[in-house]
Amino acid sequence: METSAPMTEAMYYVLLTLSVPSHGYQLLSAIARASRGRVQMGPGTLYGVLTRLESEKMIQVVNDDGRRKTYEITEPGKAALAQETSRLQAMLADQERWEGEVKCLKN
Amino acid sequence: MSEKLVRKWLLDDIADIDCNESWLSDLAQEGLFLDHLGARFAYFKRDTPRTMRYRFDVLSRMLTSDELGLYDSCGWHFVTLYNEVTFGADVIYYVFTTDENATVPELHTDPMEQAASLVHLHRQSTVNLVLMIALTAVVVGVQIYMTAFTSPSTRFNTLVYGGSNYIWTTFYAFYIWQGARRYLAVRRLRRRLSGGQTLDHHADYRKVHRNGKIANIAFWGIYGLLLLVLVLIGTIFLERGTQKPIPAELNFPAARLAELETDPALELSQRTVWNHQRYLTGAVVDDIFEEGYLGSKRVYLSTTCYRLPFAFEAPAVLEGMMDRYGTYFTENAHRADTEPFDEAWITDATDGRRECYLFARRGREVWCIYLESDTQGVENILPLLAEKLDG
């Protein structure tokens, strides 16, 4: 199975929130909501990620009226997001299992 | 009423963004607020000193008004942009500002993503540096080739007249230094960001500015001086073809027509031209052309003396001059080495021709002498010239 490099936090949240087509303003508030206020993304980071993901065809522009662009996630983007989510879940599961094993050894 | 702007020299590369952010913040505390950026200067408006944060965003495309509006709503106000086009690739530097105490998220909140945003700039700086080095290597290589491996005539022209190459070499050296500085700055920024560290927005820029000032003064000083010399040579020293009074004493060793023909009347010839020229290679070239009549017979003597910066150049210049006179000279020439000359060549007047040539060198001096006479041979000039040298 082909594996890609781990995503940055910014990249992950942009892909996650673009399951709903959004423009820049909507994305910033969606990311803050999705991370329960933990991630306050700067505008420089947001447009850097959008430009990169668009060039890597993980997102696409669905509406461009010359003033405002609306983006949405593409199929390759969804696949990359699912792969990264699995990786993070596996890491969390590993961490829980390991802590359980350490607890058993101590007892 | 237009506001008068304060201009400041950009002593650091624009891509050295953390140092530039720090510099702009310090200037704001002195009451100078960035208005716009040029290729070599930054322009500032004066206002009440305030503590401000400046941030650079390096992009490969222009932001739309809506995108700029988003930066603004996040508390980052657009100041200016500088669009750099090199070898077809755009790199656009956006500058934003906010009040130091404003509670706004940083412009870049993810160092890894900011490192990724510098990939385009890194590629551009690498390509620029490689191209500048390659271009300079070609120019210097051509110069070396022309000096060492081409025909004698080309070597002669390069050694005596090829001074403008020095200007171009200086020019390229400066741009290589600029390219290397940018490459190292971008590499440093990317390494820091890729390591998960945010940029130091209060980076110490003073050492970089001091080095930048020294390099700029040195380059523009040398470049200006070379150009000035070139202009001076063009306007003052290059006087070929203009007739002017011969000084009482020639400032270079040459036998005179009157001495050769032992006829003092020839000294008063009105058809005498004297030239004195300097070249950026360091070569000094003096000419004297004398024409007169012995009875009804025309006599003519021309002497060109090349004084070169280095003695090792003299054999190549002598060979080059001989080559310029073509097969007639080379086929009829014979060596006539005599003291104090290192080398001398003569063509005799043969086959009904009155023209004779003499080429000689001693140390860093080279002579090309041409004679038309029915009474004297060009070999008689050598002892006269030797006397001048001894004197």
Side-chain angles (χ1 to χ4, degrees):
Chain A
M1 181 186 155
E2 195 184 327
T3 54
S4 52
M7 287 182 190
T8 60
E9 186 181 69
M11 195 176 165
Y12 184 84
Y13 276 102
V14 168
L15 284 176
L16 179 69
T17 48
L18 276 182
S19 54
V20 178
S22 313
H23 53 71
Y25 290 94
Q26 292 169 330
L27 267 174
L28 280 187
S29 58
I31 289 165
R33 201 164 67 244
S35 65
R36 286 174 286 172
R38 190 179 60 81
V39 178
Q40 296 289 330
M41 195 176 289
T45 297
L46 176 71
Y47 284 118
V49 172
L50 287 174
T51 305
R52 193 156 61 85
L53 290 176
E54 193 185 353
S55 73
E56 291 173 3
K57 306 210 182 314
M58 288 204 211
I59 61 169
Q60 63 187 6
V61 177
V62 287
N63 186 29
D64 184 357
D65 61 7
R67 199 178 64 85
R68 177 173 288 186
K69 285 179 182 176
T70 304
Y71 300 87
E72 76 171 3
I73 192 165
T74 60
E75 287 306 318
K78 283 177 186 168
L81 181 67
Q83 192 183 2
E84 181 66 5
T85 305
S86 300
R87 193 180 68 84
L88 293 171
Q89 283 171 338
M91 281 171 69
L92 270 176
D94 288 345
Q95 187 258 346
E96 281 172 13
R97 197 181 63 248
W98 179 251
E99 281 194 348
E101 282 179 23
V102 169
K103 211 176 274 178
C104 286
L105 284 171
K106 281 181 179 170
N107 293 334
Chain B
M1 194 179 98
S2 65
E3 199 175 355
K4 197 177 175 191
L5 297 174
V6 176
R7 188 172 64 175
K8 284 204 172 272
W9 206 354
L10 280 172
L11 292 171
D12 196 357
D13 193 283
I14 192 168
D16 203 0
I17 55 180
D18 55 352
C19 288
N20 285 321
E21 288 170 355
S22 174
W23 178 55
L24 294 177
S25 297
D26 283 0
L27 287 176
Q29 285 187 317
E30 295 171 20
L32 292 173
F33 298 88
L34 182 67
D35 184 78
H36 65 276
L37 289 165
R40 301 213 168 272
F41 294 97
Y43 298 84
F44 296 85
K45 283 184 283 204
R46 277 198 187 281
D47 207 335
T48 314
R50 288 196 303 278
T51 49
M52 302 291 287
R53 277 187 270 170
Y54 283 89
R55 296 292 180 266
F56 279 64
D57 204 3
V58 184
L59 300 168
S60 54
R61 65 174 179 89
M62 301 292 265
L63 292 169
T64 64
S65 58
D66 185 58
E67 289 167 340
L68 280 173
L70 180 68
Y71 279 79
D72 204 65
S73 68
C74 290
W76 288 101
H77 311 298
F78 171 69
V79 178
T80 186
L81 64 86
Y82 182 71
N83 190 353
E84 196 173 61
V85 182
T86 45
F87 302 113
D90 277 21
V91 175
I92 305 150
Y93 300 86
Y94 277 88
V95 185
F96 296 91
T97 189
T98 193
D99 193 85
E100 180 66 45
N101 302 317
T103 50
V104 297
E106 263 298 335
L107 195 82
H108 280 278
T109 46
D110 189 326
M112 302 291 277
E113 284 299 337
Q114 195 176 5
S117 77
L118 297 180
V119 167
H120 185 61
L121 177 61
H122 178 64
R123 195 178 302 133
Q124 181 238 41
S125 68
T126 309
V127 169
N128 271 6
L129 181 59
V130 169
L131 283 177
M132 281 313 300
I133 290 172
L135 190 63
T136 308
V138 168
V139 170
V140 173
V142 166
Q143 177 77 6
I144 291 169
Y145 176 76
M146 286 177 70
T147 310
F149 303 110
T150 50
S151 70
S153 292
T154 310
R155 274 208 299 280
F156 169 81
N157 286 329
T158 308
L159 287 167
V160 177
Y161 307 122
S164 60
N165 293 316
Y166 298 138
I167 286 187
W168 291 114
T169 309
T170 312
F171 195 72
Y172 292 136
F174 182 67
Y175 279 96
I176 284 182
W177 171 78
Q178 282 197 322
R181 185 173 68 157
R182 166 165 297 190
Y183 173 80
L184 292 173
V186 176
R187 194 178 67 162
R188 178 182 63 79
L189 293 172
R190 286 193 72 217
R191 280 188 175 178
R192 182 183 172 101
L193 291 165
S194 301
Q197 275 186 286
T198 55
L199 294 185
D200 177 7
H201 305 295
H202 300 285
D204 186 6
Y205 54 85
R206 284 164 190 86
K207 189 180 169 191
V208 179
H209 278 207
R210 193 173 59 241
N211 291 344
K213 190 181 271 182
I214 291 167
N216 273 288
I217 289 171
F219 167 70
W220 291 111
I222 292 169
Y223 194 59
L225 199 66
L226 284 170
L227 281 177
L228 184 69
V229 170
L230 200 66
V231 169
L232 284 175
I233 284 169
T235 55
I236 298 171
F237 298 119
L238 286 181
E239 295 161 0
R240 181 174 281 280
T242 57
Q243 193 165 321
K244 55 192 287 185
I246 298 177
E249 288 264 335
L250 284 182
N251 62 353
F252 68 100
R256 298 295 300 275
L257 188 60
E259 295 169 324
L260 180 68
E261 299 288 354
T262 56
D263 185 346
L266 288 170
E267 207 167 327
L268 303 171
S269 164
Q270 291 302 303
R271 305 195 64 177
T272 301
V273 178
W274 169 72
N275 288 310
H276 177 71
Q277 300 153 76
R278 288 173 188 275
Y279 294 92
L280 271 185
T281 52
V284 179
V285 182
D286 287 285
D287 295 305
I288 181 162
F289 309 102
E290 294 184 277
E291 186 181 27
Y293 284 87
L294 288 170
S296 61
K297 288 283 186 184
R298 177 177 172 272
V299 283
Y300 180 82
L301 176 65
S302 80
T303 303
T304 304
C305 175
Y306 299 87
R307 277 174 288 180
L308 305 162
F310 306 106
F312 73 83
E313 297 173 328
V317 169
L318 182 79
E319 190 190 357
M321 275 194 308
M322 288 166 65
D323 190 61
R324 288 174 106 190
Y325 286 86
T327 50
Y328 169 75
F329 175 77
T330 47
E331 282 170 7
N332 294 283
H334 61 86
R335 275 194 90 137
D337 292 358
T338 47
E339 286 292 329
F341 299 99
D342 299 327
E343 185 180 352
W345 289 82
I346 279 173
T347 54
D348 296 318
T350 53
D351 302 332
R353 298 176 72 131
R354 301 173 69 227
E355 301 93 342
C356 349
Y357 294 94
L358 164 64
F359 293 90
R361 68 175 172 87
R362 192 190 77 151
R364 58 190 189 91
E365 291 173 319
V366 183
W367 290 266
C368 169
I369 296 166
Y370 170 74
L371 174 69
E372 284 179 43
S373 172
D374 288 324
T375 56
Q376 297 290 329
V378 76
E379 67 280 0
N380 297 334
I381 293 173
L382 276 173
L384 290 172
L385 198 54
E387 270 178 40
K388 308 270 177 176
L389 291 170
D390 291 340

